[in-house]
Structures are given as C-alpha cells and as structure tokens.
C-alpha cells in the first residue's frame, strides 16, 4: 500500500488552513509515519506535482489522500476522518 498526501499552497503563497489542520491531526495521532509521500498543489504553478495529480484524479478539494494498492484503482479520500477510519485504523492495528 502506498499513501500520498496532497496539500495546497494558495495563490497568495500561504498554506491552506484545512491542510494545516489535517497535518496537525496526523502529527498528534502519530499517523505521519504511514504517509509515503507528500505533494504540494501550488495554485501559482498549475504544473506542480500536486496540481497535476489532482487534475489527473479529478479532485477539486485539498487536502486529499491517495491510497494505491497493487491490482486496484487508486482510492481518493478528501475527508481526513473517513481516511483515518478506513485506512489508518487498519494500519495502526
């Protein structure tokens, strides 16, 4: 299983508030260790890695998580609590 977090940098260069909140929850719950990669979706750069992935997967919200498992389509989670319950809880067990 491979997990990617995509967080956004706003057009004015500031970090997305919701992204900051989710990162804080990941840190508080010691869940950062389950992430394989963090990509930045920079609104100032439509070709940034995070923006490209969001476009490819047709995701309009940040932050989001992409869970990839061999032989399956990538799963996208735009809600931290759903992601934590369905994915992270299993990994932590």
């Amino acid at each position: 299983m491979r997990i990617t977090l995509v967080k956004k940098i706003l057009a004015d260069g500031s970090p997305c508030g919701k992204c900051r909140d989710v990162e804080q929850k990941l840190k508080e719950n010691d869940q950062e260790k389950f992430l394989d990669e963090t990509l930045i979706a920079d609104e100032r750069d439509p070709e940034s890695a995070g923006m490209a992935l969001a476009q490819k997967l047709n995701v309009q919200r940040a932050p989001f998580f992409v869970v990839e498992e061999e032989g399956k389509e990538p799963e996208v989670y735009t809600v931290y609590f759903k992601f934590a319950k369905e994915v992270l809880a299993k990994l932590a067990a």
Side-chain angles (χ1 to χ4, degrees):
M1 179 184 296
R2 180 172 173 74
I3 300 173
T4 302
L5 164 63
V6 178
K7 59 185 188 174
K8 184 166 36 174
I9 300 291
L10 303 174
D12 67 3
S14 65
C16 148
K18 187 176 171 198
C19 299
R20 241 190 348 256
D21 294 345
V22 166
E23 278 191 299
Q24 186 63 38
K25 285 184 182 86
L26 289 166
K27 192 171 285 190
E28 287 170 3
N29 297 314
D30 194 30
Q31 297 166 324
E32 291 174 305
K33 63 187 174 200
F34 298 119
L35 302 179
D36 295 294
E37 184 175 28
T38 300
L39 298 178
I40 305 297
D42 190 333
E43 287 186 342
R44 303 164 299 178
D45 178 8
E47 294 178 19
S48 64
M51 292 295 268
L53 184 59
Q55 188 171 22
K56 176 183 170 193
L57 297 172
N58 199 25
V59 180
Q60 307 297 321
R61 303 172 64 190
F64 66 92
F65 300 89
V66 181
V67 179
E68 297 171 281
E69 291 186 75
E70 204 169 315
K72 294 182 179 179
E73 285 293 310
E75 268 192 271
V76 175
Y77 291 86
T78 57
V79 178
Y80 163 78
F81 292 107
K82 183 176 193 308
F83 169 71
K85 181 180 173 188
E86 294 181 11
V87 179
L88 296 179
K90 291 175 190 167
L91 293 174

